[in-house]
Amino acid sequence: MRKYFGTDGVRGRVGEFPMTPDFAMRLGWAAGQVLGAQGVSEVLIGKDTRASGYMLESALEAGFSAAGVNVALVGPLPTPAIAYLATTFRANAGLVISASHNPFYDNGIKLFAQSGHKLTDAQEQEIERWLQHALDEGMTCVSSEKLGKARRIEDAAGRYIEYCKSHFPSRQSLNGLKIVVDSANGAGYKVGPAVYRELGAEVISLHDAPNGVNINHECGATDLTSLRAAVIEQGADLGIALDGDADRLMMVDHTGAIVDGDELLFLLAREAQAAGYTGGVVGTQMSNLGLEQALAERGIAFKRAKVGDRYVMEQLTATGWRLGGEGSGHLLSLDHAATGDAIIASIRVLAALLAQGTTLHLAKQGMRKLPQTLVNVRYQAQEGVDPLGTPGVKAAMQAVEARLGTAGRVLLRKSGTEPLIRVMVEAEDADQANGCAQEIAGALG
């Protein structure tokens, strides 16, 4: 079991363990020990727009240097840009300093292999072994002539913009489209709007003035209020929302209606099928049943993974399929990017709309989302007692599942961060979903 690495790297509140400069330096040193022994000579480091990124970047640089590993610094860029640029700049690995959609006072550190994929569990466990040594016994340092060097790459953003544009068909153009882009005051604040403009769209840019503390604040993929209002006010064709590190995508149609990750995944799957894709789609336990039903109607296989893009990727690797994602907007299209890339996913959706001669509003009608209710129930942890396994809870689950049949779905899962049971019910109508969820929650309480 990993102690420090979660499903998306190491993450926490800045100034509190483990998000301290001392821990970051030791993590850089430990990663340098493991990756250096595997032939890595240079790590490319990027970050989002949090003020704490400067501190953590410097600490990581010191740790890698002490381990004899060079670093290449690219500054604020989307997480998927780092995954791509690590290859194009011939770095052997990539590292991103970001807490994605979290508030500014959090930050995180995640590592990529040169392939653009996240490190394996075995690699992270080996890094943790060295990290624990550094925390308990201290760090060593290579001799002065072997210290890692640092360089700053100036043209990284331009290269990534061209890379994104290469995934848009050359015979198409966004001329005539008015798009509102909400960059969440995050890592995509420059490159995102630039991509759409250079493809021909008229772009109204929102939340593109990061100040170190306004990332994700009432904006971006986690809060679509201002984007929805701007799309209607500007008479735009659609809106695009990125999260803080631009690996999650949410969209808004011309009426201001939200188009979430499940609906976007359906649109991408439909586009891929039309282009000859014969594989299936991987969602998660939280993916709306409407997605599964819409894919089945088109003869597209569907599997569910545990919540988290890491587990979606595991299923894609196991099946050989190329498409997956989460309702939160983390979309994987492995024919176009090695990791979730909001900008590339959005231009693939735009290309599909243009090819079909339709609007986002009409295209999403091909999938009907089922009403979903989520109830959080706090419980008192007791050793040897599984709150999900009591007779009362089992009976309530069985009664609800029998009532819903194939027209609904029930999911109970424990939170990984606090003593909560998450009760999720999907049904044909909202009242039924809510009533069933409350029934199960009552049994838990």
Side-chain angles (χ1 to χ4, degrees), residues 381-401:
Q382 299 179 45
E383 188 173 350
V385 177
D386 180 6
L388 302 182
T390 65
V393 172
K394 286 183 176 180
M397 277 279 291
Q398 290 170 355
V400 167
E401 288 178 334

Side-chain angles (χ1 to χ4, degrees), residues 336-385:
H336 300 286
T339 187
D341 190 315
I343 297 172
I344 290 179
S346 69
I347 63 175
R348 294 306 308 169
V349 170
L350 294 173
L353 297 178
L354 291 172
Q356 297 162 20
T358 189
T359 66
L360 182 61
H361 178 73
L362 292 176
K364 73 169 186 172
Q365 307 303 320
M367 171 188 156
R368 185 180 77 87
K369 287 180 63 181
L370 269 68
Q372 185 183 93
T373 296
L374 182 65
V375 177
N376 293 321
V377 181
R378 189 167 294 275
Y379 69 95
Q380 187 69 40
Q382 299 179 45
E383 188 173 350
V385 177

Side-chain angles (χ1 to χ4, degrees), residues 374-381 386-388 411-424 441 444-445:
L374 182 65
V375 177
N376 293 321
V377 181
R378 189 167 294 275
Y379 69 95
Q380 187 69 40
D386 180 6
L388 302 182
L411 176 68
L412 268 68
R413 65 186 185 96
K414 293 180 182 178
S415 167
T417 57
E418 50 187 331
L420 292 176
I421 301 295
R422 306 196 190 280
V423 181
M424 190 276 291
L444 282 165

